[in-house]
Amino acid sequence: MGGLTDSVVVSIGGSILVPGNNDAEYIARLASMLKELSGSVRLAVVCGGGKTARYYAETGGELGGDTYQLDILGIGATRLNAQLLALALGDMPDRVSETPEETASKAEVGRIAVMGGTEPGHTTDAVAMMVASCMDADRVVNATSVDAVYTDDPRKNPEAVRIPEMTIGRLGEIVYKEHGASKSSVFDPLGVKIAAEKNIDIMIVDGRNLDELRKAILGQRFDGTFVNSH
């Protein structure tokens, strides 16, 4: 699967970046790995909002915010996380890129482009797929808090079955069908739609397992779920 000039977008959940569990140590190791891989792979990273976004969505909701306003707060959290990663990469801008096109234009071998969310209604998974479309990327790696796709939430259902490989159509049947501020799912339906249209494979992997994340970015066999878009 992998190649020296592959273009890859990593969609990394906020629950992976800043869960409050040795975050600085993990982000430093992640940044080191990404910098190393950027020498041979064209890389872009889209950061999610995680618990920071959920905090603002919940608190904003209690203060009377509507879905649009709560999304704006969530987008702010994703951009904050993106700046934190950019800081670790040694290149923190005053403002992270705010469109898929801008991010794609900045992604070069040796230079990693980092962004958060874009506009209300678009999850960072969907944004990652938009960036991938602009980059004509080979794959999107979804670094998440679950180590693969399951038939149900394995944290709630011990009978959930792990799926190591699946088609994009099967993934589309599993994902949720409606958007809500800071709502979380295996992957975003809009992202699945773009992946199917553009033939972009999706790798779903435990984002805190840097060995497996590295393999997925390089297009090597990894422990997670490979979603074949072809």
Side-chain angles (χ1 to χ4, degrees), residues 31-94:
S32 177
M33 180 191 74
L34 292 173
K35 283 192 285 187
E36 179 197 339
L37 297 185
S38 72
S40 57
V41 177
R42 186 174 169 227
L43 268 177
V45 183
V46 180
C47 300
K51 68 177 184 179
T52 309
R54 284 191 294 277
Y55 169 82
Y56 277 94
E58 290 166 6
T59 306
E62 291 171 10
L63 293 170
D66 59 28
T67 299
Y68 177 89
Q69 292 168 319
L70 302 184
D71 266 0
I72 292 293
L73 292 173
I75 289 165
T78 67
R79 291 175 178 170
L80 198 60
N81 286 343
Q83 282 189 298
L84 194 62
L85 178 58
L87 173 65
L89 289 167
D91 185 25
M92 190 187 101
D94 291 339

Side-chain angles (χ1 to χ4, degrees), residues 84 119-121 130 138 141 143-144 149-150 213 217 226:
L84 194 62
E119 61 186 70
M130 292 172 193
D138 298 275
V141 177
T144 181
V149 177
Y150 288 77
L213 178 57
I217 291 172
F226 170 62

